[in-house]
Amino acid sequence: MRLTPALIASATLALGDREGEKAMSMRRIAAELGCDPMAVYRHFPNRQALLDAVADLVAEEVPVPDGREPWDRRIETLLSGMRSAALRHPGIAGHIASRPPLGPAGRRLAGAMTAALAEAGLRPADVVRAFQALIAYSAAGLRMAVDAGSEDARRQEVSDALEGMLDGPLPIVGSEGQFAYGLYLLLNGIRLEAATARQGR
Amino acid sequence: MRLTPALIASATLALGDREGEKAMSMRRIAAELGCDPMAVYRHFPNRQALLDAVADLVAEEVPVPDGREPWDRRIETLLSGMRSAALRHPGIAGHIASRPPLGPAGRRLAGAMTAALAEAGLRPADVVRAFQALIAYSAAGLRMAVDAGSEDARRQEVSDALEGMLDGPLPIVGSEGQFAYGLYLLLNGIRLEAATARQGR
DNA sequence: ACCTGAACACCGTTCAAGT
DNA sequence: ACCTGAACACCGTTCAAGT
């Protein structure tokens, strides 16, 4: 069977889904494909480049929202779409959190997002800054979700650290609801900013 | 020289400052201390626990803001203090971004932060959610700063991906200004939320 | 009982040697 | 010219053997 970048990437994704992040080593990937570890290096310069390709494969699964929806609804759809796609592929989710996909699929999503922000009424320079703030926040939320799933001890530690300062139980770290709340704060901030920009026009 | 957890942690921090993240391996740390690699395991159960202790050492450097300052100013001081302390120690900054410090120093900062949020007028449940959103955002900003410093190629890639969608140059990914903008959006969101909570009271 | 270091089970990547 | 796999320079951690 002839190797191609696409074939290597999808085999790596499947391996990660099945056996987790640590299973996606060059040696294990090669074994999965039944080839020499070095054969992979003929298609990708290094492991990171391969994982970037796998991440973009996941970005392909994210639906681009209908352009007739309001801009804030579209941003919510895009970001929670990326988040749930990543969580469907736990092996690569950690990599996605560190390096949001920038291949063809990633750029398609970035385009939809910046379009929505421009439509919100932000100045071009602020579109980029708000874009990066939203990506940064989503990446962090994804990382917390990944860590929370794999490290119960950490969740306990966070809980212990905060419990003393507050009454009531700690909401689950990295949960969907927690993610939505921060996104809501950011979108509120953007709305306020856009209103100010519109007035100054 | 007798080994102690504090001595190991500060030697590890110094090593990371001098030679970067990858130099902080159990073997290199032991060499730095002139002891057997296994000696470290008598004071820390594993490498992650040691790095957590190093991270808390950095949190000790962050000044706690004056309680008479307004709540939003205090949050800015705390988060940018943590950010610049981490960036002064590039070896451990990546670890801090993944696992915000929760040792004694980390808890002190968390306490100051939740107090500021409570004073802003958020409901207790929202204090925790806003706290986590702010931490998540700051961690992501720190990660972007660390990556931007070490990976010019990635910055170029992000720039290429966005340049096509916008006119004008891309603001530096992970820069102080970029970080401040997202924080500003979040604080605006919190102000709006607090105002709503206050009205419902 | 405490401590050591050899050994286990891996890594990503280079590079010389084969075809 | 293309491909392979041995080898390099590492890892974190376990555990048997020594004192």
Side-chain angles (χ1 to χ4, degrees), chain B residues 25-27 38 41 47:
Chain B
S25 72
M26 296 306 261
R27 282 165 164 89
M38 286 318 297
Y41 282 90
R47 183 170 179 265

Side-chain angles (χ1 to χ4, degrees), chain A:
Chain A
M1 183 166 46
R2 200 94 178 74
L3 283 186
T4 63
L7 209 135
I8 295 169
S10 66
T12 304
L13 180 60
L15 181 59
D17 286 354
R18 230 171 45 235
E19 304 193 44
E21 189 159 14
K22 279 165 49 174
M24 298 185 298
S25 72
M26 296 306 261
R27 283 166 164 88
R28 295 284 311 270
I29 293 161
E32 179 88 357
L33 290 158
C35 71
D36 190 274
M38 287 318 298
V40 175
Y41 282 90
R42 276 185 290 127
H43 299 93
F44 295 97
N46 50 46
R47 183 169 179 265
Q48 180 157 269
L50 166 53
L51 294 187
D52 284 348
V54 175
D56 206 61
L57 219 54
V58 174
E60 275 179 21
E61 294 180 12
V62 179
V64 174
D66 189 322
R68 287 163 304 186
E69 299 255 337
W71 68 269
D72 48 358
R73 189 81 200 78
R74 264 143 67 201
I75 289 174
E76 282 171 2
T77 304
L78 277 164
L79 292 178
S80 79
M82 188 67 231
R83 179 184 162 88
S84 59
L87 291 175
R88 278 198 301 276
H89 300 285
I92 197 68
H95 183 81
I96 292 172
S98 306
R99 296 171 60 87
L102 282 179
R107 286 173 197 227
R108 181 176 50 94
L109 300 178
M113 188 105 130
T114 49
L117 288 168
E119 213 179 294
L122 290 185
R123 283 185 242 87
D126 285 346
V127 167
V128 184
R129 298 201 285 176
F131 171 79
Q132 293 192 57
L134 287 164
I135 295 295
Y137 176 71
S138 302
L142 182 55
R143 175 158 301 285
M144 287 166 84
V146 170
D147 287 355
S150 65
E151 298 180 60
D152 277 351
R154 178 71 177 174
R155 194 194 312 210
Q156 192 54 52
E157 225 182 328
V158 174
S159 174
D160 288 351
L162 285 174
E163 207 76 48
M165 301 157 190
L166 303 149
D167 32 356
L170 184 75
I172 296 152
V173 177
S175 70
E176 189 66 33
Q178 170 60 45
F179 172 69
Y181 183 77
L183 185 52
Y184 161 78
L185 292 180
L186 278 167
L187 289 174
N188 262 356
I190 291 169
R191 267 180 219 110
L192 224 149
E193 186 62 12
T196 314
R198 218 173 282 119
Q199 258 179 343
R201 194 175 48 185

Side-chain angles (χ1 to χ4, degrees), chain B residues 4-25:
Chain B
T4 63
L7 210 137
I8 295 170
S10 66
T12 304
L13 180 60
L15 180 60
D17 286 354
R18 230 170 46 235
E19 304 193 43
E21 188 159 12
K22 279 165 50 174
M24 298 185 299
S25 72

